[in-house]
Amino acid sequence: MALIDKESGTTVLHRPAESPPPRTWRSWLIGRPLPTADAPHQTIGKAVGLAVFASDALSSTAYATQEILFVLAVAGTAAFGYAFPISIAIVVLLGIVVLSYEQTIHAYPNSASSYIVTRDNIGALPSQITGAALLTDYILTVAVSISSGVAQITSAYSILFNFRVELALVMVALIMLINLRGIKESGITFAIPTYFFLIMIFSTVMVGFFRYLSGSLTGVVDPPELEISHAVQPVTLFLLLHAFANGTTALTGVEAISDGVPAFKEPRTRNAGITLIWMAVILGILFLSITFLAGQIGAIPSEMETVISQLVRTAYAGRGFMYLVTMASVTIILIMAANTAFADFPRLSALMAGDGFLPRQLTYRGSRLVFSRGILTLGLLASLLIILFQASVTALIPLYAIGVFLSFTFSQAGMARRWWKIGHLAPGQEVKERGSTLHHESGWTLKMIINGFGAFCTLVVMLIFAFTKFHDGAWIVLLLIPLLVMGFSAIHRHYQGLGKRLSLRNYGGPPRLSRHRVILLVGGVHQGTLSALRYAHLLSNDLTAVHVSINPDETARVRRDWELWGNGIRIVILDSPYRLLLEPLLDYIDEIDARRQPNEIITIVVPQFVPRHWWHNLLHTQTAFLLRVVLLFRPGIVVTDVPYQVG
Amino acid sequence: MALIDKESGTTVLHRPAESPPPRTWRSWLIGRPLPTADAPHQTIGKAVGLAVFASDALSSTAYATQEILFVLAVAGTAAFGYAFPISIAIVVLLGIVVLSYEQTIHAYPNSASSYIVTRDNIGALPSQITGAALLTDYILTVAVSISSGVAQITSAYSILFNFRVELALVMVALIMLINLRGIKESGITFAIPTYFFLIMIFSTVMVGFFRYLSGSLTGVVDPPELEISHAVQPVTLFLLLHAFANGTTALTGVEAISDGVPAFKEPRTRNAGITLIWMAVILGILFLSITFLAGQIGAIPSEMETVISQLVRTAYAGRGFMYLVTMASVTIILIMAANTAFADFPRLSALMAGDGFLPRQLTYRGSRLVFSRGILTLGLLASLLIILFQASVTALIPLYAIGVFLSFTFSQAGMARRWWKIGHLAPGQEVKERGSTLHHESGWTLKMIINGFGAFCTLVVMLIFAFTKFHDGAWIVLLLIPLLVMGFSAIHRHYQGLGKRLSLRNYGGPPRLSRHRVILLVGGVHQGTLSALRYAHLLSNDLTAVHVSINPDETARVRRDWELWGNGIRIVILDSPYRLLLEPLLDYIDEIDARRQPNEIITIVVPQFVPRHWWHNLLHTQTAFLLRVVLLFRPGIVVTDVPYQVG
């Protein structure tokens, strides 16, 4: 122990850290605790950055096409022809969104999280809505990606279909565990599976196109049955919009790079921007190719076999080695996508908790320097969703992506507003805002138009989404988001009120205490009681013993023994004709409390056995605990239990 | 408050009782609390005594015949002819047991409970076995009687069959509630349904015999189907013994009168003895008549319709008014039988808790002067059994009655031993035993032989029972009883060890304390902390503040504020590089504790918010609670949380 400082009459001692904590079952599971100083500061290049941040976006090609076909299926297989034009519209939307985000990255080099952009440029309430939407969508990302990953596995091995929920839950648990450990070696670990997936899926697509051009591409052999519950319906605008909305799930995950700008090597905004554009190009090509080829081979959307599986086995003419390897790569990229949400959810919830909108405990970094509580929360909620929706991607899709588009809209609108502010600054003028300094920039009009148009497009998509999928489940999210925002506000109010009430500003200090009354509860006179009596003596001379008389024989015994052992301390015997323990005691305390001066405090000392085994507590009444709960809300009363260790 | 006594330097103050507690939802449910002085002391005559105590025994006629037939059914309907001879054997056994119990009543005028008789005459372990057996059987009495009562209802109204479990649970809950209220007006309330049942069932039997003698008794019209899973088996000795064992359930409840001797008017042993014999005669006649008539009409044992229902509707030639009224009386008497167990179980468990074999809490009389916890325990366990066995009497029967016969055997063997002791006393010699005084009695040989023979017969029946029903479920009880006895012993050891360790005999008193170190935990400096600091000042001058440093910014703030507000109290800053809160604190306490003198005590003061709503606690870490749990087992350390009411 080293003396450090002695000023203003206060001694400050500083006690250095002990050696690291001992190994426990927990350190065996998630690794040894890491000291705060070990926080990683490594940065990554573009190639690795693509691998780390793009898995979420790229993996959505594994289900987006299929979800378009599922909607078109109600109009019969003939309607499948609309899938390709719809995909083109989605890729155009992708271009607009990516252009808009590219600008955001340059404006927010520290973190272009939609929550921050909205908070800084629009306001508190919209930022909370964005936060609610994003948190909801991260949970859905895990549920959808893992469910889709499992669907790839059950496409290859159909006997596993009945175990899909269990499989999915095991996967969530594994990813949760990996994230609780913390991913220090993220770069390479991420790069391998992402590039493995890209190679395998591009090979498939190329083989597909080669066979298409050479005329040797056949239809799907032995396709799954088309499950249509109703009669064939006509192709309506509503149906096409619905299919379009389903397909926009391909855009989920596009925002991941903008969240992670600080992880890039310098010049980080440039590197991040370029990576974003690469990603968009790859995603666009892949999505269009898969949709086109799926149409050519006549793939059928089904819960039993994914469209990707049908495409791969048709391209490779059978379930051979290439089929299995490709399907494995698809499964892995989907699991990686869930992993992205495990990085984003805890980070955003810690950010919001720091702003006082979520429980403060979420800002606490666990033994491995990760936000453990956020990780656990995400894992549990995603598992719940998987169980509720029986790991069906199609059932989950109506809930998915609406939050993403809501946050896209707010974030881009925020950017547009920011450009407008910048445009109206005089050249050379500077305005300090939360986190960043604004100064005049030329060309702000075009940038504002790009962000504004992005916001407009995503808003339209979100409305289409809400409208076409309202009945299928989108209402759940539309109901959940306001509820979450209300929760955020309630939490915020609590913290703010508390802060105000605890504040020392203009506080004169509590009144001095001059009287300390101590009441010792005596159930029976034994060694534990005497130990508590001895302690009570230390606290104050104003000491009274109190015994609640339920059984007259016992009371007589207490009186006799107290005269022998009670050190002459007066004892008050409270009659309890209704055999109640707490109530007569509370009546008595009320009586004393009524006469209490403001400078007087009452301590109630309760002797408490500590038996050797916890289950022994079941054999005793827990008076101290009950008394504490009952008296908790009474100012000026402290309940102290003096433990007496037996044996 | 009145000063009562002032001797040996100790003032004893006596505080009289307040007015009765206010009405709450509980008093609405079970009635106003009753003062201890209100304990009832009324006694009852023979006619009412028969009603109060015989319902359990008499009600078993509602299922005993059916359970014999269920066993015989595996040998086909031809084997049903064996039912009547088996019943005669059971009635002979009833005679022996009743004769033996009649003697027990005269020997134990205060309470001839098998547990007491065994405890006083054989020993502690056998009495615990008896106790375990009886408690188990009381639970089964509730489950079987209520299930049978529900079976009568579903026989009359078959659409209710699918709701039988729910019906049974509602009934258990109702009886539980009635017993929690306490049955003060027991006499007449019991007499009406019991005599109503006797009149209705005797009428049925007489009509049956009249029609049998006049040759107009038909077979059951539209009988339920016989459910045999296997091929018809031959009639074996095992089968007959099995049927006999099932039929002996008719004897359950016979011991109720001997438990309740003190409730009778003087001369109470004579009155109780006569009532016992009446009951046995009625039970014997009813059981033989029902079995005989069931055989004549060709009643079929079935889960869908009880044998009693078949008998009643055949006697009255249809499901008319008389049928419904008679079935109602049978249902009511079965529910009353469950009520008997609700009187016996709490009484026995309080007795055993008083002896230290069950948690002491069971001796506590609730607000209505009944042993509420025993009543709740019985209700919950019986409900569990009903759910597990789907309210099927036939499924429950193999577990039932084995405990009764075990307790019969021990109790009568105890009596035989008592007579032997009495016989070997010199005339005029007296021996004081627990509860009673033994002196020589003439005729002890015959009495010993009667009790000994009774013990022998019930032992044989119990062995038959265990052997023939082992596979059907008797093994559960045979396993449960030793487990319960082990539990009793563990509880007893705990209380005995505790008593010894807390005893003041030869105790010199705890060493005087001379030093009181107080450690104040400082998370942040705010009004709550200052309130706790003010309290800590009262406790001792030896005061140290401790802050665990997780976040350097926060620590700097704490240091700055403490210098302003800390009253010059020195503060120790504990580095926590692994962001742990409790562990550095525990290390520090360990360090202090290692240098602690025997006459020194440490108090750790923890400021604790008390938010306005309980759910606000979710928004704060519960340091005080965790610290208390961790430090509970360390002698010489007291954790005090000083509540600070916010708002």
Side-chain angles (χ1 to χ4, degrees):
Chain A
M1 220 182 269
L3 186 68
I4 281 199
D5 201 357
K6 191 163 184 159
E7 49 183 57
S8 72
T10 306
T11 314
V12 178
L13 296 166
H14 195 268
R15 191 167 182 278
E18 297 271 306
S19 48
R23 269 184 183 278
T24 59
W25 63 269
R26 225 170 85 173
S27 64
W28 175 84
L29 203 64
I30 62 167
R32 295 214 127 201
L34 299 174
T36 312
D38 273 15
H41 296 289
Q42 61 180 136
T43 53
I44 52 178
K46 291 190 286 287
V48 174
L50 183 70
V52 171
F53 295 109
S55 57
D56 183 6
L58 295 177
S59 72
S60 40
T61 55
Y63 48 82
T65 304
Q66 168 173 323
E67 296 307 321
I68 295 173
L69 295 179
F70 254 120
V71 173
L72 295 175
V74 296
T77 47
F80 288 171
Y82 290 98
F84 191 65
I86 287 173
S87 298
I88 292 175
I90 292 168
V91 171
V92 170
L93 181 67
L94 171 68
I96 296 165
V97 170
V98 161
L99 214 61
S100 182
Y101 262 94
E102 213 272 337
Q103 290 190 165
T104 313
I105 288 173
H106 286 278
Y108 280 86
N110 289 318
S111 171
S113 159
S114 302
Y115 170 72
I116 293 175
V117 174
T118 310
R119 183 188 70 187
D120 291 0
N121 294 300
I122 309 194
L125 188 65
S127 78
Q128 286 171 52
I129 297 173
T130 308
L134 283 173
L135 291 178
T136 313
D137 246 54
Y138 290 142
I139 300 166
L140 282 160
T141 300
V142 176
V144 168
S145 302
I146 294 290
S147 297
S148 179
V150 169
Q152 310 303 335
I153 296 176
T154 58
S155 296
Y157 302 101
S158 56
I159 48 157
L160 291 174
F161 185 75
N162 288 328
F163 301 99
R164 63 198 186 286
V165 175
E166 289 83 352
L167 261 175
L169 293 180
V170 168
M171 281 188 186
V172 172
L174 272 176
I175 301 171
M176 198 168 78
L177 209 63
I178 290 169
N179 279 278
L180 284 174
R181 265 190 165 268
I183 310 166
K184 224 182 162 182
E185 48 287 289
S186 50
I188 299 302
T189 346
F190 272 79
I192 295 171
T194 306
Y195 285 106
F196 174 50
F197 165 74
L198 285 178
I199 292 167
M200 295 315 296
I201 200 76
F202 268 113
S203 309
T204 308
V205 167
M206 280 191 298
V207 170
F209 273 112
F210 176 79
R211 294 188 57 193
Y212 168 69
L213 293 172
S214 65
S216 68
L217 188 66
T218 60
V220 182
V221 178
D222 194 13
E225 253 180 87
L226 189 61
E227 303 133 0
I228 308 178
S229 44
H230 314 280
V232 170
Q233 293 171 9
V235 176
T236 58
L237 180 65
F238 182 87
L239 191 77
L240 293 178
L241 288 176
H242 192 178
F244 169 77
N246 260 13
T248 53
T249 50
L251 267 68
T252 57
V254 161
E255 78 288 359
I257 291 179
S258 61
D259 288 355
V261 183
F264 281 86
K265 281 206 170 71
E266 291 291 354
R268 56 185 176 190
T269 54
R270 207 183 100 89
N271 283 332
I274 291 172
T275 311
L276 179 67
I277 289 164
W278 281 5
M279 185 194 73
V281 171
I282 296 171
L283 175 59
I285 293 174
L286 260 184
F287 179 48
L288 285 177
S289 310
I290 289 171
T291 310
F292 179 78
L293 289 172
Q296 293 306 319
I297 63 168
I300 301 291
S302 157
E303 289 277 358
M304 300 305 296
E305 188 184 0
T306 60
V307 166
I308 286 286
S309 168
Q310 296 171 48
L311 175 61
V312 178
R313 71 177 164 88
T314 307
Y316 291 121
R319 293 171 182 263
F321 176 74
M322 285 303 284
Y323 168 78
L324 287 177
V325 172
T326 310
M327 291 306 285
S329 81
V330 177
T331 308
I332 293 170
I333 198 82
L334 282 162
I335 294 169
M336 304 275 296
N339 194 70
T340 312
F342 269 99
D344 286 340
F345 181 98
R347 199 159 47 195
L348 177 58
S349 59
L351 203 63
M352 292 184 70
D355 286 351
F357 293 110
L358 279 175
R360 284 274 156 84
Q361 290 98 313
L362 289 167
T363 62
Y364 175 83
R365 283 181 189 268
S367 69
R368 299 285 292 181
L369 282 167
V370 294
F371 299 112
S372 342
R373 285 155 204 200
I375 293 172
L376 287 169
T377 309
L378 174 61
L380 290 177
L381 292 175
S383 298
L384 199 71
L385 269 186
I386 287 173
I387 294 170
L388 282 178
F389 288 84
Q390 289 292 298
S392 158
V393 176
T394 306
L396 284 162
I397 281 289
L399 282 71
Y400 194 34
I402 193 163
V404 168
F405 279 91
L406 187 56
S407 73
F408 281 171
T409 305
F410 271 121
S411 154
Q412 292 171 113
M415 283 304 294
R417 190 156 176 223
R418 187 184 144 99
W419 295 126
W420 192 84
K421 269 192 275 179
I422 285 174
H424 287 74
L425 289 175
Q429 187 190 354
E430 279 195 354
V431 174
K432 271 213 181 281
E433 293 227 333
R434 290 175 72 154
S436 63
T437 312
L438 302 187
H439 39 77
H440 188 81
E441 275 178 51
S442 59
W444 65 270
T445 331
L446 179 65
K447 286 174 175 168
M448 187 179 79
I449 289 169
I450 290 175
N451 280 132
F453 185 64
F456 173 76
C457 291
T458 52
L459 177 67
V460 169
V461 171
M462 199 202 71
L463 292 176
I464 292 174
F465 216 106
F467 178 66
T468 58
K469 301 183 160 198
F470 189 81
H471 278 289
D472 301 338
W475 64 271
I476 299 174
V477 176
L478 292 174
L479 194 71
L480 191 66
I481 289 175
L483 285 178
L484 280 174
V485 170
M486 278 164 63
F488 296 160
S489 304
I491 291 172
H492 195 63
R493 267 200 310 280
H494 168 74
Y495 282 127
Q496 287 229 308
L498 190 70
K500 222 174 276 168
R501 263 177 242 106
L502 291 178
S503 165
L504 296 179
R505 187 169 297 179
N506 302 323
Y507 182 59
R512 290 261 150 206
L513 291 176
S514 56
R515 186 172 180 198
H516 187 196
R517 284 191 78 144
V518 175
I519 292 170
L520 172 67
L521 204 59
V522 176
V525 183
H526 50 65
Q527 292 189 21
T529 319
L530 297 189
S531 174
L533 171 62
R534 184 182 67 151
Y535 181 77
H537 264 302
L538 275 185
L539 300 188
S540 172
N541 291 323
D542 189 346
L543 183 57
T544 310
V546 169
H547 169 73
V548 178
S549 168
I550 289 173
N551 178 329
D553 299 344
E554 204 184 294
T555 302
R557 209 160 44 238
V558 166
R559 281 187 55 175
R560 196 193 58 215
D561 289 348
W562 192 254
E563 277 166 23
L564 261 172
W565 293 95
N567 271 358
I569 299 299
R570 66 176 190 153
I571 187 163
V572 174
I573 294 184
L574 306 176
D575 261 1
S576 178
Y578 297 94
R579 300 163 307 287
L580 300 164
L581 183 61
L582 286 181
E583 287 76 358
L585 203 60
L586 291 175
D587 281 345
Y588 177 70
I589 291 167
D590 275 342
E591 204 176 287
I592 293 177
D593 200 26
R595 285 178 285 132
R596 188 166 62 86
Q597 305 294 317
N599 59 354
E600 180 182 338
I601 198 158
I602 300 171
T603 297
I604 299 167
V605 174
V606 187
Q608 196 193 13
F609 297 119
V610 182
R612 266 171 305 179
H613 307 289
W614 69 265
W615 62 267
H616 284 168
N617 282 318
L618 298 176
L619 302 175
H620 302 279
T621 42
Q622 303 300 315
T623 316
F625 175 75
L626 288 173
L627 203 61
R628 191 194 321 281
V629 169
V630 171
L631 290 176
L632 207 55
F633 292 90
R634 297 272 286 269
I637 295 180
V638 174
V639 179
T640 295
D641 36 324
V642 179
Y644 183 75
Q645 290 81 6
V646 174
Chain B
M1 218 182 268
L3 185 69
I4 281 202
D5 202 357
K6 190 161 182 160
E7 49 182 59
S8 72
T10 307
T11 313
V12 179
L13 296 167
H14 194 268
R15 190 168 181 281
E18 298 269 307
S19 48
R23 271 185 182 277
T24 59
W25 63 270
R26 227 169 84 174
S27 63
W28 176 83
L29 205 62
I30 62 168
R32 296 213 125 199
L34 298 174
T36 312
D38 272 14
H41 296 290
Q42 61 180 133
T43 53
I44 50 178
K46 293 192 285 286
V48 175
L50 182 70
V52 172
F53 294 110
S55 57
D56 184 4
L58 295 178
S59 71
S60 38
T61 54
Y63 48 82
T65 304
Q66 168 173 326
E67 295 307 322
I68 295 174
L69 295 179
F70 254 121
V71 174
L72 295 175
V74 295
T77 47
F80 287 170
Y82 290 98
F84 191 64
I86 288 173
S87 298
I88 292 177
I90 291 168
V91 171
V92 170
L93 180 69
L94 170 68
I96 296 165
V97 169
V98 162
L99 213 61
S100 182
Y101 261 94
E102 212 271 340
Q103 293 190 160
T104 313
I105 287 174
H106 285 279
Y108 280 86
N110 288 319
S111 171
S113 159
S114 301
Y115 171 70
I116 292 174
V117 174
T118 310
R119 183 188 72 185
D120 291 358
N121 294 298
I122 311 195
L125 187 65
S127 79
Q128 287 171 53
I129 297 173
T130 306
L134 282 174
L135 291 178
T136 314
D137 247 54
Y138 290 140
I139 301 166
L140 282 159
T141 299
V142 176
V144 168
S145 301
I146 294 290
S147 298
S148 179
V150 169
Q152 310 302 336
I153 296 176
T154 57
S155 296
Y157 301 101
S158 56
I159 48 158
L160 292 173
F161 185 75
N162 288 328
F163 302 99
R164 62 197 186 286
V165 175
E166 290 82 353
L167 261 175
L169 293 180
V170 167
M171 282 189 186
V172 171
L174 272 177
I175 301 174
M176 199 168 78
L177 210 63
I178 290 171
N179 279 278
L180 285 173
R181 267 189 162 265
I183 311 167
K184 225 184 162 183
E185 48 287 286
S186 48
I188 299 303
T189 344
F190 272 80
I192 295 170
T194 307
Y195 286 106
F196 174 49
F197 165 74
L198 284 179
I199 291 167
M200 295 316 296
I201 200 79
F202 268 112
S203 307
T204 308
V205 166
M206 279 191 297
V207 169
F209 273 112
F210 175 79
R211 294 188 56 192
Y212 168 67
L213 293 173
S214 66
S216 66
L217 189 67
T218 57
V220 183
V221 179
D222 194 12
E225 254 181 89
L226 188 62
E227 303 133 357
I228 308 180
S229 44
H230 315 282
V232 171
Q233 293 171 10
V235 176
T236 58
L237 179 64
F238 181 87
L239 190 77
L240 293 179
L241 288 177
H242 192 178
F244 170 76
N246 260 13
T248 53
T249 49
L251 268 68
T252 55
V254 160
E255 78 290 358
I257 290 180
S258 60
D259 288 357
V261 183
F264 280 87
K265 281 207 169 73
E266 292 290 356
R268 56 187 178 192
T269 53
R270 208 184 99 90
N271 282 333
I274 291 171
T275 311
L276 179 65
I277 289 165
W278 280 5
M279 185 195 72
V281 171
I282 296 171
L283 175 58
I285 292 174
L286 260 185
F287 179 47
L288 285 178
S289 308
I290 290 172
T291 311
F292 179 78
L293 288 172
Q296 292 304 321
I297 63 167
I300 301 291
S302 158
E303 290 277 359
M304 298 305 296
E305 188 185 1
T306 62
V307 165
I308 287 286
S309 168
Q310 295 172 46
L311 175 60
V312 178
R313 71 176 164 89
T314 307
Y316 291 120
R319 294 173 183 260
F321 176 73
M322 285 303 283
Y323 168 79
L324 288 176
V325 172
T326 309
M327 291 306 285
S329 80
V330 175
T331 308
I332 293 170
I333 197 83
L334 282 162
I335 293 169
M336 303 276 295
N339 194 70
T340 312
F342 269 98
D344 286 340
F345 181 98
R347 200 159 47 195
L348 178 59
S349 60
L351 204 62
M352 292 184 71
D355 288 350
F357 292 111
L358 279 175
R360 284 275 155 84
Q361 291 98 311
L362 290 167
T363 63
Y364 174 83
R365 282 179 190 270
S367 69
R368 298 285 292 181
L369 282 167
V370 294
F371 298 113
S372 344
R373 286 155 201 201
I375 292 171
L376 288 169
T377 310
L378 174 61
L380 291 177
L381 292 175
S383 298
L384 199 71
L385 269 185
I386 287 172
I387 294 169
L388 283 178
F389 289 85
Q390 290 292 297
S392 158
V393 176
T394 306
L396 284 162
I397 281 290
L399 282 72
Y400 193 35
I402 194 163
V404 167
F405 279 91
L406 187 57
S407 73
F408 280 172
T409 306
F410 271 120
S411 154
Q412 293 172 110
M415 282 305 293
R417 190 157 175 224
R418 188 185 141 99
W419 294 124
W420 194 84
K421 269 192 274 180
I422 284 175
H424 287 72
L425 290 175
Q429 190 190 350
E430 279 195 356
V431 174
K432 271 211 181 279
E433 293 226 332
R434 290 176 72 156
S436 63
T437 313
L438 302 186
H439 40 73
H440 188 79
E441 273 180 49
S442 59
W444 63 271
T445 331
L446 179 64
K447 287 173 173 168
M448 187 180 79
I449 289 170
I450 290 174
N451 280 132
F453 185 64
F456 173 76
C457 291
T458 51
L459 177 68
V460 169
V461 171
M462 201 202 69
L463 293 176
I464 292 173
F465 216 107
F467 177 66
T468 57
K469 302 181 158 197
F470 189 82
H471 278 290
D472 301 337
W475 65 269
I476 300 173
V477 175
L478 292 174
L479 195 72
L480 191 66
I481 289 176
L483 287 178
L484 281 174
V485 170
M486 279 163 64
F488 296 160
S489 303
I491 291 172
H492 196 62
R493 268 200 309 280
H494 168 74
Y495 281 128
Q496 287 229 310
L498 190 70
K500 223 174 274 167
R501 263 176 243 107
L502 291 178
S503 165
L504 295 179
R505 188 170 294 182
N506 303 324
Y507 181 60
R512 291 259 149 206
L513 293 175
S514 56
R515 186 173 179 198
H516 188 195
R517 284 191 77 143
V518 175
I519 293 170
L520 172 67
L521 204 59
V522 175
V525 183
H526 49 66
Q527 292 189 21
T529 320
L530 298 189
S531 173
L533 170 63
R534 182 183 68 151
Y535 181 78
H537 264 302
L538 273 185
L539 300 188
S540 172
N541 291 323
D542 188 346
L543 183 54
T544 311
V546 169
H547 171 72
V548 178
S549 167
I550 291 175
N551 179 329
D553 299 344
E554 202 184 295
T555 301
R557 206 159 48 236
V558 166
R559 280 186 57 174
R560 195 195 60 214
D561 289 347
W562 192 254
E563 278 165 23
L564 262 172
W565 292 95
N567 270 358
I569 298 299
R570 66 175 191 155
I571 188 162
V572 176
I573 293 180
L574 306 177
D575 261 3
S576 178
Y578 296 95
R579 300 163 306 289
L580 299 166
L581 182 62
L582 285 182
E583 287 75 358
L585 203 61
L586 290 175
D587 282 346
Y588 176 69
I589 291 167
D590 275 342
E591 204 176 287
I592 292 178
D593 200 24
R595 286 179 284 130
R596 188 167 62 89
Q597 305 296 316
N599 58 355
E600 181 181 340
I601 199 157
I602 300 170
T603 297
I604 299 167
V605 174
V606 187
Q608 196 194 12
F609 298 119
V610 181
R612 264 171 308 176
H613 305 290
W614 68 265
W615 63 267
H616 285 166
N617 280 317
L618 298 175
L619 302 174
H620 302 279
T621 42
Q622 301 301 314
T623 316
F625 176 77
L626 287 174
L627 202 61
R628 191 195 322 279
V629 170
V630 171
L631 290 177
L632 206 57
F633 293 90
R634 298 271 288 270
I637 295 180
V638 174
V639 178
T640 295
D641 35 327
V642 180
Y644 184 74
Q645 290 81 6
V646 173

